[in-house]
Amino acid sequence: METVRIAVGLIWNEGELLIARRNPGTRQALKWEFPGGKIESEESAEAAVVREVREETGLRVQLLGERQRILHTYPDQRVEIHIFDCRADSREAAPLSSQEVRWVVPADLPNYDMPAANSALVAELAAAPPR
């Protein structure tokens, strides 16, 4: 089974995180996720997260560092997700490749239906003291 490499941004602004709702008809349709996407061949995870966030939300972000990597196996696919903490200087995110974007406090993340690969990260973020 092939491993798909993904870079994801935890985009922080005023103590809230940006999440996006996937479009109908896509893989894991209508689930909420952190902005990001596939790492292209010959592209670093850092460059991919900056590019993907810009393409998906219109935001320019500053990388604060890689938080962790998640390896998760779905029935039909294995993913390696590079999670980066990022800071956005603006809250003017647009749903350029998703149905909706929303700023949420981390404690509310468990109320959103997110992919199984994000379960432990969501629990960790929700339990952490406010930033």
Side-chain angles (χ1 to χ4, degrees):
M1 184 180 300
E2 177 187 352
T3 299
V4 177
R5 296 179 62 232
I6 299 168
V8 170
L10 298 179
I11 304 168
W12 296 93
N13 187 283
E14 298 178 15
E16 294 182 323
L17 284 165
L18 184 67
I19 59 174
R21 192 167 194 197
R22 295 182 64 90
N23 285 319
T26 61
R27 183 177 186 83
Q28 302 212 33
L30 303 179
K31 288 194 181 275
W32 290 89
E33 65 182 356
F34 301 108
K38 290 182 185 175
I39 301 169
E40 302 293 338
S41 61
E42 306 302 319
E43 182 179 40
S44 70
E46 293 84 356
V49 74
V50 170
R51 175 185 56 76
E52 286 282 347
V53 167
R54 180 81 172 144
E55 290 174 0
E56 291 183 4
T57 68
L59 291 176
R60 294 185 191 276
V61 294
Q62 174 189 7
L63 293 181
L64 303 175
E66 188 170 3
R67 175 182 286 255
Q68 68 187 72
R69 289 184 193 174
I70 297 171
L71 295 173
H72 185 84
T73 303
Y74 290 102
D76 62 337
Q77 182 181 53
R78 183 177 318 138
V79 293
E80 175 184 313
I81 307 171
H82 298 251
I83 309 290
F84 291 91
D85 282 298
C86 306
R87 180 181 4 239
D89 293 331
S90 168
R91 293 177 66 87
E92 300 301 316
L96 302 178
S97 65
S98 60
Q99 186 177 50
E100 177 184 355
V101 293
R102 187 178 292 180
W103 291 98
V104 299
V105 294
D108 287 346
L109 287 171
N111 298 326
Y112 293 88
D113 184 21
M114 298 185 100
N118 292 337
S119 297
L121 176 61
V122 165
E124 173 190 320
L125 290 165
R131 289 181 82 156

